[in-house]
Amino acid sequence: QVSVREEKIVMPTWEIGPPQVHSSFWDAGRQQVYPYTLNDVLTDRKVDKTYQAVVLENEYIKALVLPEIGGRLHGAADKTNGYVWLYWQKTIKPGLISMTGAWISGGIEWNFPHGHRPSCYMKVDHRIVRHTDGSATVWVGETEPIYRMRWLVGLTIFPGRSYLRGDYIFVNPTDHRHSFQFWATAATHANEYAQAQYPGDMVTGHGKHQFWNWPIHNGVDLTWWTNSPNASSYFAFNNPSDWFGAYDHRAQGGTVHVANHHLMPGKKLWTWGSGPSGRIWEEILTEGGGAYFEPQAGAWSDNQPDYHWLNPHEVRRTHDYWYPVRDTRGFNMADQDF
């Protein structure tokens, strides 16, 4: 049976300073964030902070949602073997990554209408729904004040299933057409035993200006975390498959994403890199929690930046599945059930 509950949790948190008094208007080279203010003052104050969290679990998996930090899925664990299949931060340590500054890594971040959206470190609305089939959903979302568009993310766990279903709803209630993109930015633990499990024979970078053979390029197997010494983005190129993921061969556990590739074609893998610069970012964002891969799923977009139009009063919907695997030595095919 599925359990869903609200509870208060305490996590060590690095505080941020007060927001800027004046909002930032758009200028060349910068995305618009008005009427948001910038939260770009980091401090050295570390305190125990209490968060109102939502815990969603069944006999196989457990997930934590934090409506107070952008509604993100903060982390997920496989209860059958203890493997953390979505990076679960034990401390809240923001870095200056989002459009308004403060941002944390781990779990899954919801990016609409832009990447690292302005409110990703701010409180959003949430609601719990229990269904007659025994499943339960946590809805998070907001009406963002820049363009007045709405986004909703529903996270559902079912009895007897180890997957978590994500339902995504995007609404333009205005009389004007607006551009948008949506990426679900996940994170999984990485180390010298971590391997990306992505389909296809070619990947590309941002804007499709660079291309690499996949998985072997110039004699180097790019699927292994340790073989990308510098920060890198890999996007699956012209790939019709519905799946991707990552696998830790030491832990014998992994993470799978499955979605209809006609609606969610984006399959991105991001890494800070296994070299010295990556170690710096680990300390900035994870406080000793270790390296991570970012498997990212894009709806309607297969690259970044790749924007689409949401017409006046248009509603778009899509969904996907995330689940852990164990003792498979990796995988080269996946669907909703296998």
Side-chain angles (χ1 to χ4, degrees):
Q1 198 69 18
V2 174
S3 167
V4 59
R5 61 190 182 276
E6 293 185 283
E7 62 181 46
K8 296 184 183 298
I9 62 171
V10 178
M11 284 192 286
T13 300
W14 293 83
E15 294 185 315
I16 62 174
Q20 290 194 16
V21 175
H22 300 291
S23 299
S24 176
F25 290 89
W26 181 90
D27 56 39
R30 190 184 189 92
Q31 293 281 3
Q32 179 174 325
V33 298
Y34 178 83
Y36 288 107
T37 55
L38 294 181
N39 292 301
D40 58 355
V41 178
L42 305 181
T43 77
D44 59 0
R45 298 190 303 270
K46 185 179 180 181
V47 300
D48 286 336
K49 183 175 178 180
T50 301
Y51 294 89
Q52 186 69 35
V54 181
V55 178
L56 188 63
E57 64 180 314
N58 64 9
E59 64 267 44
Y60 299 120
I61 58 174
K62 178 180 180 179
L64 175 69
V65 180
L66 289 181
E68 292 184 60
I69 305 184
R72 69 187 304 120
L73 194 162
H74 187 71
D78 182 344
K79 295 169 66 174
T80 69
N81 64 350
Y83 177 67
V84 176
W85 54 280
L86 288 171
Y87 200 120
W88 195 314
Q89 298 282 11
K90 299 306 179 184
T91 64
I92 303 297
K93 189 176 184 183
L96 298 180
I97 301 291
S98 84
M99 293 173 63
T100 51
W103 178 89
I104 64 169
S105 61
I108 307 180
E109 174 194 12
W110 320 114
N111 291 301
F112 172 90
H114 306 294
H116 302 315
R117 70 177 206 274
S119 62
C120 69
Y121 197 71
M122 302 177 187
K123 185 176 181 179
V124 300
D125 296 327
H126 75 283
R127 182 186 179 191
I128 294 173
V129 180
R130 295 174 175 84
H131 306 284
T132 56
D133 64 355
S135 64
T137 302
V138 180
W139 287 97
V140 294
E142 65 175 344
T143 297
E144 53 84 22
I146 301 176
Y147 304 104
R148 305 301 299 170
M149 293 194 291
R150 300 171 185 159
W151 63 268
L152 290 165
V153 173
L155 302 170
T156 303
I157 289 181
F158 301 84
R161 296 285 185 172
S162 62
Y163 56 61
L164 183 148
R165 172 173 164 137
D167 283 276
Y168 310 114
I169 303 174
F170 311 105
V171 184
N172 179 8
T174 75
D175 294 330
H176 305 279
R177 186 172 65 160
H178 295 296
S179 64
F180 81 97
Q181 60 174 335
F182 173 74
W183 286 81
T185 300
T188 61
H189 285 273
N191 51 54
E192 61 268 34
Y193 302 94
Q195 185 181 26
Q197 312 281 283
Y198 276 57
D201 56 12
M202 183 172 289
V203 293
T204 184
H206 287 272
K208 303 181 182 179
H209 297 303
Q210 292 178 288
F211 293 85
W212 300 271
N213 294 316
W214 185 267
I216 309 295
H217 184 81
N218 291 339
V220 178
D221 189 341
L222 298 177
T223 62
W224 293 94
W225 171 81
T226 192
N227 287 342
S228 291
N230 301 310
S232 302
S233 288
Y234 303 111
F235 295 84
F237 181 70
N238 287 352
N239 191 276
S241 300
D242 291 339
W243 63 275
F244 66 87
Y247 196 81
D248 185 328
H249 290 270
R250 179 172 60 185
Q252 280 299 306
T255 303
V256 178
H257 175 269
V258 174
N260 182 340
H261 70 274
H262 296 291
L263 295 176
M264 297 192 74
K267 303 173 180 67
K268 176 186 176 183
L269 177 71
W270 160 262
T271 173
W272 287 109
S274 58
S277 62
R279 306 290 72 69
I280 293 173
W281 278 103
E282 285 171 32
E283 181 57 31
I284 292 173
L285 295 170
T286 73
E287 198 173 9
Y292 60 87
F293 264 150
E294 276 190 4
Q296 301 185 25
W300 300 285
S301 300
D302 69 347
N303 201 269
Q304 296 167 345
D306 179 13
Y307 286 90
H308 296 259
W309 292 110
L310 203 57
N311 291 315
H313 309 291
E314 182 180 3
V315 179
R316 291 203 188 197
R317 294 181 174 90
T318 187
H319 68 272
D320 59 10
Y321 296 89
W322 302 82
Y323 60 83
V325 292
R326 58 174 295 185
D327 304 322
T328 64
R329 296 188 234 174
F331 50 93
N332 56 23
M333 181 64 69
D335 62 22
Q336 175 182 332
D337 296 307
F338 299 101

